[in-house]
Amino acid sequence: MAAIAVGKKEVTRDLDHCDIPYYVSEFVEREVGNDYDSLRNLDNLIDKLSENKKQLEEQVLTVSSEVPKRIQNALKNAEDSKKSLSRLVEEETLLSESVSSHLEKAQPWMEELHVLISQVEEIERHLAYLKWISRIEELSDSIQQYLMTNNVPEAASTLAFMADLDIKLQESSCSHLLAFMRSTVKFWHKILKDKLSSDFEEVLTQLCWPFVGPPQSQAFGLPAPASAPDVYNNLEMLFCQLLKLQTSDELLTKPKQLPEKYSLPPSPPVILPIQIMLNPLQKRFKYHFTGNKQTNVLNKPEWYLTQVLMWIGNHAKFLDDKIQPILDKAGSSVNAGLEFSRALVMLILEKLAADIPCLLYDDTLFCHLVDEVLLFERELYSVHGYLSSLPSCMHILSEESCFQRWLTVEKKFALQKMDSMLSSEAAWVSQYKDITDVDEMKVPDCAETFMTLLLVITDRYKNLPTASRKLQFLGLQKELVDDFRIRLTQVMKEETRASLGFRYCAILNAVNYIATVLADWADNVFFLQLQQAELEVHVESNAVSKLQLGQLASMESSVFDEMINLLERLKHDMLTRQVDHVFREVKDAAKLYKKERWLSLPSQAEQAVMSLSSTACPMLLTLRDRLLQLEQQLCHSLFKIFWQMLAEKVDIYIYQEIIMANHFNEGGAAQLQFDMSRNLFPLFSHYCKRPENYFKHIKEACIILNLNVGSALLLKDVLQSAADNETFKPNQPSATAALNELGVYKLAQQDVEILLNLRANWPNTGK
């Protein structure tokens, strides 16, 4: 075994070849190892290995006899495949030669056949062309026959069918056929339209159309009782027949359109019967409001705007009662009233497009025109149900040159209004000062007038057709708010020396009111939509940071945030100045109170009745007077902030400058507590239920100073122990728990220790 072991140590494995000595060495090591007793099993091991060797030899013989047979079969199959492939290649060559030969022989036939096919196709095209001509002539003859027999409805239906064919033929390149079709449609359309229009106008005349007087003075639609049914039947019949000519009329008549710079929304032509009904009104409009007529003056746009509104109102009932049922019966989706209004509004748009360039640089005339147009639009939408998706006057006002002029004039007049409102004698007086319920905000007249001005501007531009135009107006509003804020700041600086005066408080109320109203507007649906539009603009231009985009998208911010933040900062500065002013007065009044001899005051038992310290009276009177004054001059929300800021300053001042700067005997501590809890705190009880919660330093200091001696000694011991043994006795009650049990939460442990040391009434313990 030693020899084997030595031999194994000398054997190394050859990784590149089948290393038999290594495997033998491994096998011996595994089966025998260092166990000499296992040598007795060598016979069994040799037998086992001999058996394995025999089995392996048999497997090798079996495989060596089968492999040649498989190889022979594979070679045979490959040879057969090669012969089959050669045969297929020969057949393919023969077939290819045969096809090539056939194609050469058939080439002349193919050329002849191609010529014949081309001739056949050309004949078929000619035949189709002739069929179309024949079809057009048949339809034309049918229309002629219908008209000869006075069957106008069928003639109109046939013309409508012909117009549909005309539309289908538009893809054809046969220009002469298209021209023939169009000329035929035009010929019969003119005949039918003239005939039906004449008959329709005659029926309208019988109905006293148009209704130019007020509705109550009209007897529209009331012909002679005997003929009424016939007139209305004729009205319906002719209206339906004219509707059938709508398709051909759209093919032949190019509607009048305003230039693209006005960006009017696409809208279909007015239906033919409504066009005919509008003819007399259009003539009246052009007669009165174009040319050199006395009614056509630039400074009176209300004349033609009012006239159109009157026409719409005068005819609304007839259109709803008589015309709309006809349209519904014919299966049309057209609203008679809207169609009538839309056509009349187009007259207004054409008139505005012609007039505006003439008065664009006359501020008075232009501003008057805009005012009248906005009034017209308001009534058109609110009273007559006009739709925002249809062309309107706002599209004309949105044209670039006109819109920029509008913005300029709007800003000019707004600034003039701001000048007048700030220079008014009543600028800083609330118009509701004598009405308590209404005057909660104590808003000065100038601030309310300014916000009304902004609201009016919003009403003026909110119906603009595009978000980009609305955003420009929103920018103007922001400019005006910032300008007004700057003006308020300038007036405030003039009043800085009298920071408790009436005008200073009025300015503060104005700033607060404007910030509050803007915050309310930020939640308005209209401004939320503008915020979304502004977000889309910023995304396209990458004008803001990702954080700001996220805030806009999540509605965390608003379109007025920048203005509101500036106003809030101004409000805070003004409030701070007022608080500081009052606080300085309080400190001056508290000088005697600071010098009170707290160490030698008589105890409570020595006094019959506790009374307020005489030295505290000036301080408390100053506080009371200023609180009453500012409560009357500031709105509730501002005054609440004011007294809370003042209370915080007074609390810290008394704590640091009076309590922490003196020593107290029992009487002094009791007097301090009486002055604070029975006199200072109640001054603020009108404004909250528990005023002592706003003077936590004073309240807790009084608790410590007024502890009985035993409790004070115990507390002092607990605090000392907690400081000395904090790391050694974790299970000992904490100093914080002891302080909380006494009602002390605000003061730190070190402050309480200082307060305990300020007590003079400690017993003599001999230490």
Side-chain angles (χ1 to χ4, degrees):
M1 289 302 298
I4 292 173
V6 172
K8 182 178 184 307
K9 289 179 183 178
E10 295 175 352
V11 175
T12 57
R13 185 177 180 183
D14 186 353
L15 297 177
D16 297 330
H17 302 88
C18 182
D19 196 350
I20 292 177
Y22 175 78
Y23 287 112
V24 170
S25 174
E26 283 290 316
F27 178 77
V28 172
E29 178 66 23
R30 185 173 62 253
E31 295 296 334
V32 179
N34 297 325
D35 186 6
Y36 301 117
D37 294 336
S38 61
L39 292 175
R40 299 190 185 95
N41 298 324
L42 279 178
D43 293 338
N44 295 332
L45 185 59
I46 291 171
D47 293 340
K48 182 178 178 182
L49 290 174
S50 299
E51 184 65 27
N52 288 341
K53 178 183 176 185
K54 182 178 179 182
Q55 291 176 356
L56 290 172
E57 289 174 346
E58 291 176 355
Q59 291 177 4
V60 169
L61 290 174
T62 302
V63 170
S64 62
S65 61
E66 291 179 355
V67 167
K69 293 180 180 179
R70 292 181 181 177
I71 293 174
Q72 289 176 1
N73 291 335
L75 291 172
K76 183 179 179 183
N77 291 337
E79 194 68 30
D80 293 342
S81 298
K82 182 179 179 182
K83 291 178 180 178
S84 176
L85 182 60
S86 299
R87 185 169 61 255
L88 288 174
V89 169
E90 292 175 359
E91 292 177 359
E92 186 271 336
T93 302
L94 292 174
L95 183 60
S96 176
E97 291 174 354
S98 175
V99 169
S100 299
S101 174
H102 178 73
L103 288 175
E104 289 177 3
K105 292 178 182 179
Q107 184 62 32
W109 302 344
M110 290 290 293
E111 293 174 355
E112 293 176 6
L113 186 61
H114 180 70
V115 172
L116 291 174
I117 291 173
S118 299
Q119 293 174 351
V120 170
E121 289 176 349
E122 185 176 359
I123 292 172
E124 286 179 347
R125 286 197 299 272
H126 291 167
L127 182 61
Y129 195 92
L130 291 173
K131 284 182 178 179
W132 271 104
I133 293 175
S134 175
R135 181 63 174 151
I136 295 169
E137 289 179 341
E138 286 177 8
L139 292 172
S140 180
D141 292 342
S142 298
I143 294 173
Q144 185 177 14
Q145 291 296 325
Y146 288 136
L147 289 177
M148 291 175 64
T149 58
N150 204 29
N151 191 352
V152 178
E154 286 298 326
S157 299
T158 306
L159 179 60
F161 180 73
M162 188 183 292
D164 290 336
L165 290 179
D166 189 330
I167 295 172
K168 293 178 181 178
L169 270 177
Q170 294 306 308
E171 297 179 358
S172 172
S173 59
C174 300
S175 58
H176 296 294
L177 178 62
L178 291 175
F180 177 62
M181 170 67 89
R182 183 60 57 88
S183 62
T184 306
V185 171
K186 183 177 182 180
F187 175 79
W188 290 117
H189 176 79
K190 184 178 186 307
I191 293 175
L192 282 171
K193 182 178 179 181
D194 290 346
K195 176 176 177 53
L196 291 173
S197 298
S198 176
D199 295 343
F200 191 58
E201 288 171 354
E202 184 178 343
V203 171
L204 291 174
T205 303
Q206 294 176 14
L207 294 171
C208 303
W209 182 275
F211 314 133
V212 294
Q216 59 270 21
S217 66
Q218 299 168 2
F220 63 77
L222 294 176
S227 62
D230 292 338
V231 172
Y232 286 122
N233 287 338
N234 288 337
L235 175 71
E236 180 177 352
M237 178 185 67
L238 292 169
F239 195 98
C240 291
Q241 290 171 10
L242 285 167
L243 273 180
K244 294 178 181 178
L245 302 185
Q246 183 65 30
T247 304
S248 57
D249 193 68
E250 291 178 9
L251 283 175
L252 301 171
T253 307
K254 187 175 182 180
K256 186 176 181 180
Q257 292 182 339
L258 290 171
E260 292 184 0
K261 65 180 181 178
Y262 295 111
S263 303
L264 296 181
S267 56
V270 178
I271 58 174
L272 184 57
I274 297 291
Q275 288 182 34
I276 297 170
M277 295 173 73
L278 283 162
N279 282 337
L281 295 177
Q282 290 173 336
K283 290 177 182 178
R284 286 170 182 263
F285 188 91
K286 291 179 180 178
Y287 176 82
H288 288 292
F289 304 116
T290 58
N292 298 321
K293 302 296 185 298
Q294 292 182 349
T295 48
N296 181 33
V297 286
L298 291 176
N299 62 345
K300 294 293 181 181
E302 61 268 27
W303 285 355
Y304 60 83
L305 294 171
T306 305
Q307 183 63 74
V308 166
L309 288 174
M310 286 177 57
W311 285 343
I312 293 174
N314 292 346
H315 297 86
K317 181 173 174 56
F318 179 81
L319 293 169
D320 289 340
D321 294 348
K322 304 300 180 184
I323 303 301
Q324 191 61 49
I326 299 174
L327 288 167
D328 295 340
K329 188 175 179 180
S332 174
S333 60
V334 173
N335 181 292
L338 278 177
E339 196 76 352
F340 187 80
S341 300
R342 179 164 68 93
L344 289 177
V345 167
M346 288 304 299
L347 291 175
I348 298 288
L349 302 190
E350 293 170 8
K351 175 67 175 170
L352 288 175
D355 283 359
I356 285 177
C358 301
L359 48 79
L360 197 59
Y361 296 102
D362 187 319
D363 289 352
T364 304
L365 291 180
F366 182 77
C367 192
H368 178 61
L369 173 70
V370 171
D371 290 341
E372 292 298 330
V373 165
L374 293 174
L375 289 173
F376 169 80
E377 289 269 307
R378 184 178 304 168
E379 184 170 347
L380 187 65
Y381 284 103
S382 61
V383 178
H384 302 294
Y386 200 71
L387 299 180
S388 59
S389 58
L390 299 175
S392 71
C393 300
M394 301 305 282
H395 289 92
I396 305 298
L397 295 182
S398 295
E399 187 271 325
E400 183 63 28
S401 60
C402 178
F403 183 77
Q404 293 303 326
R405 187 63 184 159
W406 183 13
L407 270 179
T408 303
V409 171
E410 201 78 36
K411 183 176 181 179
K412 174 184 174 182
F413 282 103
L415 292 174
Q416 290 177 359
K417 182 69 174 175
M418 288 162 60
D419 290 337
S420 65
M421 71 176 71
L422 286 172
S423 59
S424 168
E425 293 181 0
W428 306 108
V429 179
S430 171
Q431 56 182 317
Y432 308 111
K433 62 181 180 179
D434 298 324
I435 310 174
T436 307
D437 295 341
V438 180
D439 197 34
E440 289 183 358
M441 296 287 288
K442 294 183 171 60
V443 186
D445 186 62
C446 64
E448 186 159 8
T449 306
F450 175 70
M451 295 312 292
T452 303
L453 172 66
L454 289 185
L455 186 61
V456 169
I457 291 175
T458 302
D459 288 337
R460 288 162 71 84
Y461 79 82
K462 69 180 180 182
N463 289 323
L464 283 169
T466 61
S468 61
R469 295 303 192 201
K470 293 177 185 177
L471 287 174
Q472 286 179 270
F473 256 105
L474 178 64
L476 171 61
Q477 286 180 304
K478 291 180 179 180
E479 285 182 36
L480 294 176
V481 172
D482 198 47
D483 187 271
F484 196 71
R485 178 188 63 82
I486 293 171
R487 293 173 187 236
L488 290 178
T489 305
Q490 291 171 346
V491 179
M492 180 269 293
K493 289 179 178 178
E494 296 173 3
E495 301 293 326
T496 301
R497 292 185 178 180
S499 59
L500 303 183
F502 170 77
R503 178 174 289 194
Y504 191 93
C505 291
I507 297 169
L508 183 51
N509 286 329
V511 172
N512 179 65
Y513 175 71
I514 295 171
T516 302
V517 173
L518 290 179
D520 290 340
W521 285 2
D523 295 328
N524 183 283
V525 173
F526 174 73
F527 288 109
L528 290 174
Q529 291 171 342
L530 284 188
Q531 181 176 344
Q532 180 62 30
E534 190 176 45
L535 172 65
E536 293 172 0
V537 171
H538 289 327
V539 169
E540 292 175 3
S541 61
N542 294 322
V544 296
S545 66
K546 291 183 178 180
L547 176 60
Q548 290 172 309
L549 282 178
Q551 290 174 339
L552 282 171
S554 64
M555 300 299 175
E556 290 180 9
S557 61
S558 72
V559 290
F560 296 113
D561 264 9
E562 186 178 351
M563 299 296 102
I564 293 173
N565 291 336
L566 291 171
L567 289 167
E568 288 291 337
R569 188 184 306 168
L570 176 60
K571 179 177 80 173
H572 181 266
D573 291 345
M574 294 181 71
L575 273 173
T576 302
R577 189 173 285 111
Q578 284 188 323
V579 171
D580 290 343
H581 183 97
V582 174
F583 182 60
R584 283 195 301 271
E585 292 184 351
V586 171
K587 286 199 298 183
D588 290 341
K591 287 180 179 178
L592 293 176
Y593 195 58
K594 283 178 64 176
K595 298 176 181 179
E596 185 69 59
R597 301 178 63 186
W598 302 103
L599 196 57
S600 58
L601 292 178
S603 66
Q604 189 172 357
E606 297 174 3
Q607 301 182 58
V609 178
M610 291 288 290
S611 61
L612 174 65
S613 299
S614 58
T615 53
C617 291
M619 176 183 71
L620 297 177
L621 284 172
T622 301
L623 271 175
R624 183 201 65 181
D625 293 343
R626 291 311 188 190
L627 288 172
L628 289 175
Q629 176 188 352
L630 291 170
E631 184 182 15
Q632 293 174 355
Q633 294 181 349
L634 295 179
C635 70
H636 176 72
S637 60
L638 285 176
F639 180 68
K640 183 178 180 181
I641 299 172
F642 168 81
W643 73 254
Q644 289 179 357
M645 291 172 64
L646 180 60
E648 182 181 0
K649 278 183 167 290
V650 171
D651 178 43
I652 294 174
Y653 172 74
I654 292 178
Y655 174 71
Q656 292 180 346
E657 301 296 328
I658 297 177
I659 297 176
M660 299 294 279
N662 288 283
H663 286 76
F664 297 84
N665 65 359
E666 182 181 352
Q671 184 64 49
L672 176 68
Q673 185 170 31
F674 181 83
D675 292 344
M676 298 296 106
S677 61
R678 300 293 295 276
N679 295 279
L680 174 63
F681 298 167
L683 285 179
F684 295 84
S685 62
H686 298 289
Y687 319 124
C688 63
K689 292 182 178 180
R690 300 181 64 84
E692 63 273 12
N693 288 339
Y694 293 91
F695 298 91
K696 290 183 177 179
H697 290 90
I698 297 175
K699 182 183 76 171
E700 294 180 3
C702 287
I703 291 174
I704 300 300
L705 292 175
N706 284 278
L707 284 176
N708 60 52
V709 176
S711 299
L713 286 170
L714 183 59
L715 177 60
K716 194 171 186 180
D717 185 56
V718 169
L719 295 177
Q720 187 63 41
S721 300
D724 295 341
N725 304 319
E726 186 176 6
T727 56
F728 302 105
K729 297 181 180 179
N731 295 326
Q732 183 178 352
S734 67
T736 303
L739 291 173
N740 292 349
E741 187 176 348
L742 294 172
V744 177
Y745 299 92
K746 181 76 172 178
L747 298 179
Q749 179 179 336
Q750 295 83 352
D751 293 338
V752 174
E753 291 177 351
I754 294 172
L755 286 169
L756 288 172
N757 290 329
L758 295 178
R759 291 170 57 107
N761 56 333
W762 294 109
N764 188 1
T765 59
K767 294 183 179 180

